[in-house]
Amino acid sequence: MIDDLQKKIEEVIDFLPPIPAVMTELLHALSNKDIELRTLAGIISKDPLMSMNVLKVSNSAFYRLPNKVTTVDHAVKLLGIKEITGICIACGAYQSLKPSQNVETFDCDDFWRHSVATGVVSRRLSQELEILDHNVIYFLGLLHDVGKVVLDRFAHDIYKVVIKTTREENVTLREVEQRLIGESHDMVGGWLMEKWKLPWTFVDVAKYHHTVKEAPEDNKAATAIISFADRLAWLHYLGVESNFDVTILTDNDAYLYLEKITANIDEIDLGKFMQELDSANEEIDEMTKILQL
Ligand SMILES: [Fe+2]
Ligand SMILES: [Fe+2]
């Protein structure tokens, strides 16, 4: 049964600018497995902002393509269907969540930086672990925390207190959200993804990235990677000594699940992995800039 609070939060979701029409069309077209690259490029080209985003992202340091990409057609051919859809989903979500000028919000820069960092880290993890499609994983990481934006719009004054309390009391954001608002960003993020009719993996990752055990079996691996990457991204952001105690990373459901389904997670030197994340900073800066067009 939908309770009152959920109804009120969903009203806020309804008030967000809708995701671009081209995104809905794209997702619909993609459910047809035999979609041709040309059809896909045709859909994107109808939306000038989306086309510009696709070209910008394709030409960014993120992909390191050898030659400049000048047409959407070419970008689709080079990057492939899944990748291009991911770019469109990310840019569409960003546009829709962008506050209008007179709205007071929490620190959006910080928010998108953490989101991009989680995306970049999750992609590296999925490459190391050799599971799932690492480029799709990136976009799941990018959107895992969108519920925070909704909660901030829903009750900005309370959300300011939530963030402050989390820092002062050294408790998780989720706990304080539950205590002061009654619902947490993970669940709310799931509702948003459902409203946007994004593929089910996006819904599950948003909903369960703090409660991996509860994730449906089909999307548990993706959820575990994002959840683990989320921790790594935070730790990287906070800065750690090279000799930090790795049990703060391994003592959680996400790691334990990944240990069960992959052959090599125990072989990853987490200290070294953390240090190498410094080299991802350029990628993180670049993507954050691209999104904030
Ligand atoms: Fe989160
Ligand atoms: Fe997060």
Side-chain angles (χ1 to χ4, degrees):
M1 202 184 77
I2 294 181
D3 60 26
D4 251 17
L5 182 62
Q6 178 172 351
K7 236 196 261 157
K8 281 187 194 145
I9 295 176
E10 288 192 329
E11 275 166 25
V12 173
I13 293 178
D14 289 338
F15 262 103
L16 290 173
I19 49 170
V22 62
M23 237 168 95
T24 322
E25 205 179 329
L26 209 58
L27 288 169
H28 190 73
L30 281 171
S31 54
N32 166 12
K33 282 200 178 62
D34 306 316
I35 182 172
E36 284 184 27
L37 292 176
R38 228 175 342 129
T39 316
L40 189 73
I43 296 175
I44 298 169
S45 303
K46 282 197 268 180
D47 183 324
L49 186 63
M50 194 66 89
S51 308
M52 190 173 79
N53 281 329
V54 164
L55 292 179
K56 276 210 157 178
V57 178
S58 309
N59 285 310
S60 70
F62 201 69
Y63 290 113
R64 297 176 205 287
L65 296 175
N67 298 313
K68 195 167 160 55
V69 183
T70 51
T71 64
V72 173
D73 239 7
H74 193 199
V76 172
K77 255 183 228 136
L78 282 175
L79 295 176
I81 292 181
K82 279 189 182 168
E83 192 63 30
I84 291 290
T85 317
I87 295 174
C88 294
I89 290 179
C91 294
Y94 181 82
Q95 289 306 325
S96 170
L97 294 174
K98 206 162 74 177
S100 39
Q101 264 169 354
N102 48 1
V103 176
E104 210 187 307
T105 65
F106 69 170
D107 188 339
C108 291
D109 286 356
D110 246 20
F111 168 78
W112 283 107
R113 219 186 140 72
H114 165 68
S115 303
V116 173
T118 306
V120 169
V121 176
S122 55
R123 190 175 57 171
R124 287 198 173 187
L125 268 177
S126 118
Q127 278 167 323
E128 291 269 339
L129 299 175
E130 294 171 2
I131 53 165
L132 304 166
D133 182 326
H134 57 261
N135 287 328
V136 175
I137 279 290
Y138 167 79
F139 295 104
L140 292 169
L142 186 68
L143 296 183
H144 76 287
D145 266 342
V146 285
K148 290 182 187 174
V149 180
V150 178
L151 281 180
D152 182 57
R153 291 293 158 80
F154 172 64
H156 175 63
D157 288 334
I158 306 178
Y159 211 65
K160 267 199 290 202
V161 183
V162 169
I163 294 171
K164 196 164 154 262
T165 311
T166 310
R167 288 194 187 127
E168 283 169 3
E169 293 182 9
N170 201 16
V171 277
T172 65
L173 182 74
R174 199 170 169 261
E175 264 174 81
V176 188
E177 287 169 343
Q178 293 271 14
R179 194 186 337 144
L180 299 185
I181 301 180
E183 200 49 88
S184 54
H185 70 271
D186 36 356
M187 194 47 79
V188 174
W191 296 340
L192 177 65
M193 303 292 191
E194 274 181 66
K195 270 263 154 73
W196 280 355
K197 299 198 168 51
L198 290 193
W200 212 244
T201 323
F202 281 84
V203 179
D204 285 343
V205 167
K207 240 185 210 173
Y208 301 106
H209 70 274
H210 292 294
T211 47
V212 172
K213 257 191 188 158
E214 290 166 31
E217 218 42 59
D218 280 358
N219 292 324
K220 215 176 216 157
T223 311
I225 286 208
I226 303 303
S227 176
F228 189 48
D230 187 21
R231 274 168 190 270
L232 290 166
W234 269 119
L235 215 59
H236 176 61
Y237 172 75
L238 296 172
V240 282
E241 304 286 328
S242 53
N243 57 348
F244 73 102
D245 177 8
V246 290
T247 51
I248 48 172
L249 286 173
T250 55
D251 189 14
N252 59 79
D253 290 338
Y255 187 88
L256 294 177
Y257 184 73
L258 292 172
E259 206 172 31
K260 211 163 73 185
I261 60 159
T262 63
N264 58 348
I265 194 166
D266 292 328
E267 288 159 26
I268 298 179
D269 178 341
L270 288 172
K272 203 165 141 235
F273 189 86
M274 290 300 296
Q275 274 175 342
E276 281 169 5
L277 286 184
D278 284 340
S279 67
N281 284 343
E282 187 198 340
E283 237 175 281
I284 296 171
D285 287 344
E286 176 111 12
M287 195 65 189
T288 313
K289 245 192 280 154
I290 291 172
L291 277 174
Q292 294 169 342
L293 280 172

